[in-house]
Amino acid sequence: DALDSGKLSEQDEERVKDGLKMARAKPWTEQEIPPVFRDRFRTMDGKGQLVVIWPKISMAEDFNVIRWGKEVRAILKDLHAAGLPVKMMDEVRVSSRVIQSMWDDAPPVLLAAALAVLFFLILDFRAARPVILVYMVLGVGIIWMLLGMWWFDVEINVFNQAVLATIIGLGIDNAVHIQHRYMQEGRGSLLRVVFTTGSASFLATATTAVGFGATVTAFHLGLRTLGQMSLIGLTATLLASTIWFPALLRVLEEHRRD
């Protein structure tokens, strides 16, 4: 606008006019957008519009699904606050609520399972020493399971966390059987207890592990991690009850003898 048109050539003056025209261009109206693009974002009756939003993060991890669900709900809340009565369709938003609900419920469920196991141990042995020893075996097995999950890069997710309570219940069975047999046989019987009750515990755990572990061949990643966690958890608790527990009993035997 500040240029003196009198000092411009005829060609330059035309270029200035074209530049001003382009600089003052108005945004496209909806009707000026080609129908091949416009129709994708219109409702069938032509009275509504569709807006697509998508995340830049991967949806393969539960943590990101929960993050995206919170962000989408925040967007929806802001739109409603602005007076736009929009409706939203998003399967990830539903998944995030399910996953968040299961994460919130997991701690009390696992605590209830642990307390139930402790209650039945007290009801069974009616003595503090065997209850503490057997419960220690479960703790060691769970720690080894967590280390195994870290080593094999198996994460807790919505599919495999349901098997945690099962591992707590099944993982302590072997220690209970070994403790009962040892109490019946008395001191000096650990080798016989391990070869008899221990071998039976191995077979019982192996068949259970095979049943759960068969899902490691599944194409679905969530079902595959369920089998992986089952194998790791049952193996860890089996080793804790048939190797670590008898070793602990042997040490306590020697200590008493001394």
Side-chain angles (χ1 to χ4, degrees):
D1 287 336
L3 289 175
D4 187 357
S5 60
K7 296 181 179 181
L8 298 176
S9 65
E10 184 176 348
Q11 183 179 4
D12 287 341
E13 189 172 353
E14 290 297 324
R15 294 175 61 192
V16 169
K17 289 181 180 179
D18 289 340
L20 289 174
K21 183 179 179 181
M22 288 186 289
R24 294 166 180 167
K26 297 180 180 180
W28 286 347
T29 65
E30 183 180 333
Q31 296 302 321
E32 291 175 319
I33 299 176
V36 66
F37 300 115
R38 183 177 68 237
D39 292 346
R40 297 181 182 182
F41 300 93
R42 302 275 313 167
T43 55
M44 293 185 67
D45 58 8
K47 297 180 180 179
Q49 289 183 334
L50 303 177
V51 178
V52 180
I53 58 175
W54 61 90
K56 293 182 178 180
I57 56 178
S58 171
M59 292 290 102
E61 299 179 1
D62 290 350
F63 178 73
N64 285 337
V65 173
I66 293 175
R67 284 178 55 198
W68 177 241
K70 290 180 179 179
E71 187 168 350
V72 167
R73 285 192 290 272
I75 293 173
L76 186 61
K77 183 179 179 180
D78 292 341
L79 291 173
H80 286 170
L84 297 174
V86 300
K87 297 180 179 180
M88 185 173 291
M89 298 178 294
D90 182 22
E91 61 181 9
V92 177
R93 185 164 62 109
V94 177
S95 301
S96 69
R97 288 184 176 181
V98 174
I99 294 172
Q100 185 66 61
S101 177
M102 294 196 70
W103 275 111
D104 293 340
D105 292 341
V109 168
L110 294 178
L111 179 61
L115 292 177
V117 168
L118 180 60
F119 170 75
F120 283 109
L121 287 178
I122 296 173
L123 194 64
D124 182 25
F125 291 109
R126 300 181 184 276
R129 179 185 173 86
V131 169
I132 293 173
L133 290 176
V134 172
Y135 214 64
M136 284 176 60
V137 176
L138 178 62
V140 171
I142 294 299
I143 292 174
W144 287 359
M145 181 192 72
L146 295 176
L147 291 175
M149 291 173 58
W150 170 78
W151 181 264
F152 291 103
D153 195 23
V154 177
E155 296 182 351
I156 299 177
N157 55 51
V158 67
F159 290 94
N160 60 26
Q161 70 177 5
V163 82
L164 287 175
T166 304
I167 292 175
I168 291 176
L170 294 176
I172 203 170
D173 286 351
N174 299 327
V176 171
H177 296 317
I178 289 176
Q179 177 66 30
H180 271 296
R181 183 65 181 273
Y182 178 66
M183 292 170 64
Q184 292 174 1
E185 299 287 343
R187 296 182 189 178
S189 62
L190 275 173
L191 191 61
R192 183 167 61 255
V193 169
V194 171
F195 273 99
T196 54
T197 306
S199 61
S201 299
F202 169 77
L203 291 175
T205 303
T207 54
T208 305
V210 168
F212 280 105
T215 56
V216 296
T217 60
F219 178 78
H220 192 281
L221 182 60
L223 293 178
R224 201 184 313 163
T225 60
L226 185 148
Q228 292 170 347
M229 178 177 286
S230 300
L231 290 175
I232 294 173
L234 292 174
T235 300
T237 53
L238 174 66
L239 294 177
S241 59
T242 58
I243 295 178
W244 183 84
F245 187 37
L248 175 64
L249 293 177
R250 178 72 176 182
V251 170
L252 295 175
E253 244 186 30
E254 293 297 328
H255 179 70
R256 279 187 174 184
R257 187 175 300 165
D258 293 339

